[in-house]
Amino acid sequence: MFKLTDLPYGASELEPVISAETIALHHGKHLATYVNNLNNLLPGSGMEGLTLEEIVTKATGGIFNNAGQILNHNLYFEQLQAPSDDNRPIGKIAQAIEEQFGSVDAFKEKFTAAAVTLFGSGWAWLASDSDGTLHILQLPNADNPVTQGLKPLMTMDVWEHAYYVDYRNRRPDHIAAMWSILNWKVIDSRYNG
């Protein structure tokens, strides 16, 4: 049985970028529902005992959708921290971003464009392949880079439930604010792991 993960910060620590109300709804309601749904769907599916990553690479339909959303949200919530004005990539991920995109600003511009222009609901991802090459992906609904054989490093949730309370229909404003709350230590450890 899967469990709702605990947040590594208090519900109000991401303000003003993400409000405590949004955290309560996004983590406490949306993610909790995906966890409950998956636990109800797994018995008799032949996927009991698999990890989320294994389920996402093998499942279809409701099991895929709920497992994918749990995996995506876990990665999303784990990579956040209190806002910082001088928040920038560090370590090997910083070096890879500089080498592959030319600069952090060029990377942010390309990633922001992917997040803002994704039609409908989904996720913008920074992922890496087995050679360490970075990829920016737009993936719809519950999809995750693991379905393409890639390692997910960083994500921004562009489902409306991630930002509508705080930003209404202003997705670009939400994405712009998200850069100040990314925990680059976590993202760097994913790249190195």
Side-chain angles (χ1 to χ4, degrees):
M1 299 293 280
F2 292 96
K3 293 183 180 180
L4 181 65
T5 59
D6 292 328
L7 294 172
Y9 39 78
S12 63
E13 286 184 47
L14 304 180
E15 293 181 345
V17 177
I18 299 176
S19 68
E21 180 183 6
T22 293
I23 291 293
L25 293 169
H26 195 181
H27 180 266
K29 301 291 185 192
H30 285 279
L31 180 52
T33 298
Y34 298 132
V35 172
N36 291 336
N37 288 346
L38 182 61
N39 287 333
N40 290 331
L41 290 168
L42 280 179
S45 68
M47 296 192 185
E48 303 91 333
L50 297 181
T51 66
L52 283 172
E53 291 85 354
E54 290 168 333
I55 294 171
V56 168
T57 59
K58 296 177 181 185
T60 59
I63 292 176
F64 170 82
N65 288 333
N66 286 281
Q69 286 292 65
I70 296 168
L71 178 59
N72 295 354
H73 281 90
N74 287 351
L75 291 165
Y76 171 79
F77 285 118
E78 290 168 1
Q79 70 176 11
L80 304 179
Q81 65 180 6
S84 171
D85 290 339
D86 61 349
N87 195 25
R88 303 211 27 109
I90 60 168
K92 290 183 180 178
I93 191 66
Q95 182 180 353
I97 286 170
E98 292 276 350
E99 289 173 359
Q100 295 177 41
F101 294 97
S103 69
V104 171
D105 289 339
F107 158 70
K108 286 173 66 174
E109 185 177 323
K110 189 169 183 179
F111 190 96
T112 296
V116 169
T117 63
L118 177 64
F119 182 78
S121 298
W123 301 80
W125 291 95
L126 176 65
S128 63
D129 60 27
S130 59
D131 296 328
T133 301
L134 300 176
H135 303 269
I136 294 174
L137 307 170
Q138 291 179 314
L139 296 179
N141 302 319
D143 204 356
N144 183 287
V146 298
T147 64
Q148 300 179 27
L150 300 172
K151 182 194 307 184
L153 305 175
M154 182 195 88
T155 189
M156 290 194 192
D157 186 345
V158 295
W159 284 70
E160 287 183 342
H161 65 239
Y163 61 88
Y164 211 80
V165 169
D166 303 320
Y167 296 88
R168 300 295 186 252
N169 63 329
R170 300 185 324 272
R171 184 192 288 183
D173 292 347
H174 169 67
I175 299 304
M178 285 291 296
W179 293 106
S180 71
I181 62 170
L182 293 175
N183 186 332
W184 286 102
K185 289 181 182 174
V186 170
I187 297 163
D188 186 53
S189 71
R190 290 174 181 169
Y191 184 64
N192 296 317

